[in-house]
Amino acid sequence: MATTLITGGTVVSATGRGAADVLIDGERIVALLEPGSTVLGANLTETVDRVIDATGKYVIPGGIDAHTHMSMPFGGTTAADTFETGTRAAAWGGTTTIIDFAVQKFGERVQDSLQTWHDMAAGECAIDYSFHQIIGDVNDESLRAMHELPGEGISSFKLFMAYPGVFYSDDAQILRAMQTGADTGLLTMMHAENGPAIDVLVGQLLAQGKTDPYYHGIARAWELEEEATHRAIMLAKLTGAPLYVVHVSAKQAVAQLAAARDRGQNVFGETCPQYLYLSLEDQLGAPGFEGAKWVCSTPLRSKHDHHQDEAWQALRTNDLQMVSTDHCPFCMKGQKDMGIGDFSKIPNGIGSVEHRMDLMYQGVVDGKISLERWVEITATTPARMFGLYGRKGVLAPGADADVVIYDPKGHTSIGVDATHHMNMDHSAWEGYEIDGHVDTVLSRGKVVVDDNTYLGRKGDGRFVRRDPCQYLI
Ligand SMILES: [Zn+2]
């Protein structure tokens, strides 16, 4: 196997930074060395097969995006990125592992749905991948099937308090599934919005002729996110199940998570770049049908209520633990435009898998989070949360050589024509300028992106079996 030495860089971890050279043998990191280390009198740079000069740059663990939906069926269409195009775009942006979702539909066997997603991803991915299991039909059979998931390398499952008639679970189903989660050691992930109440508001708004994308955000009021978050926390407390709330956007929901954590409960929350940067007024409320680009659930929140600032603050204080994208891209033409004249028919989702590392690095530049916290919320905590730590999320001997060399003096322009490699006809981040640049990306020792050139290959990414959550109190 080929040996690689990354020299001259500043290695950044969740807990600190320092000058170090990273020695890679084949697919694994074998050592972090003092710069210029010698072995038996010989300079290592002369004995390894390949030297990568990272002088003046940050060397960080590859990003882990723990919330993506490649080829996800939703609202009569399918997310525009496949596992091939989506993982390629992820690699471009310095993400070397995704955790996607296998979707058990109503009436379907859990194991059949998992197999469907394995079949969809196998041989297609440029980087490593895993799955969470969506339980869309909680019943005796699916609860039994959950017991088999740890043996399949799946350590988390997701429920929906939203989307009645599609993925929705009622409180009785949630209680039973959480009990099973507690029994089996599976982490319960929750889409926390009160779906039945939202559907009433949607119907009333449409009846009043309020059909623009903006009203998607009005129907999905923050009160219904806070209420559902609180309910999920209480059901989790009762059952002893650890709880991870996905795509938290309302500051009131953050406060519920913080209060539960202050009580010592194993409750965690993720947010997404869109909830840190974008708003109900500026994006969802864009003129005409433009706002459809930013229709996602939970929705973008009002800038007047400072939800965005509160989310950054929660990332600093660890009231929110990590940032995923909820990458679920739909094109405007032929997909989002299904909802012209009826916002409820706009497929929900934003594409960001390519930009998460950059957008969060901009938070470092802007003084919102530290350099170490950037690594923690994008790589290290996702690894710990979802049972990958040691192999992923850290640069240490024995870990997979998933490495990103990031140039703080570089620059990245985001947009469809500029840097975008996602399978979309628009960018939710058009015009964003990042004061940094993903220079080189290694996936298990193989260079997949270097100097604005893609060197990856579909099928090189492997399914990764996951251990139980490593983040419990
Ligand atoms: Zn999602």
Side-chain angles (χ1 to χ4, degrees), residues 67-69 72 101 134 158 160 191 246-247 270 297 326-328:
H67 190 156
T68 67
H69 299 283
M72 162 94 163
F101 292 83
I134 287 175
K158 182 178 173 190
F160 289 79
H191 178 136
V246 297
H247 50 54
E270 98 188 343
S297 298
D326 195 8
H327 178 78
C328 195

Side-chain angles (χ1 to χ4, degrees), residues 108-256:
E108 188 182 18
R109 287 184 64 238
V110 171
Q111 265 64 23
D112 291 346
S113 71
L114 181 56
Q115 189 58 48
T116 299
W117 256 261
H118 271 299
D119 292 346
M120 212 161 14
E124 297 295 315
C125 296
I127 54 168
D128 287 350
Y129 62 98
S130 188
F131 299 116
H132 313 285
Q133 178 68 53
I134 287 175
I135 305 290
D137 184 5
V138 177
N139 57 40
D140 290 344
E141 190 190 328
S142 53
L143 291 171
R144 270 197 303 278
M146 282 172 62
H147 288 266
E148 295 171 29
L149 291 176
E152 303 272 350
I154 307 292
S155 57
S156 46
F157 72 103
K158 182 178 173 190
L159 302 173
F160 289 79
M161 302 169 95
Y163 307 123
V166 189
F167 303 127
Y168 174 75
S169 290
D170 65 23
D171 290 348
Q173 291 173 308
I174 291 168
L175 185 75
R176 294 185 74 201
M178 282 183 172
Q179 287 171 334
T180 306
D183 287 350
T184 54
L186 294 167
L187 179 61
T188 302
M189 304 171 76
M190 188 64 77
H191 178 136
E193 285 187 296
N194 186 325
I198 286 168
D199 281 4
V200 170
L201 296 179
V202 167
Q204 291 172 347
L205 287 163
L206 291 174
Q208 293 164 24
K210 294 174 176 170
T211 62
D212 288 346
Y214 175 78
Y215 294 101
H216 170 83
I218 301 303
R220 308 187 86 93
W222 64 260
E223 288 89 339
L224 301 177
E225 184 184 349
E226 180 183 9
E227 183 278 326
T229 303
H230 178 73
R231 185 156 35 102
I233 288 168
M234 286 299 128
L235 293 171
K237 183 170 188 299
L238 183 66
T239 56
L243 174 69
Y244 176 96
V245 180
V246 297
H247 50 54
V248 177
S249 66
K251 63 183 180 183
Q252 296 86 353
V254 173
Q256 292 292 339

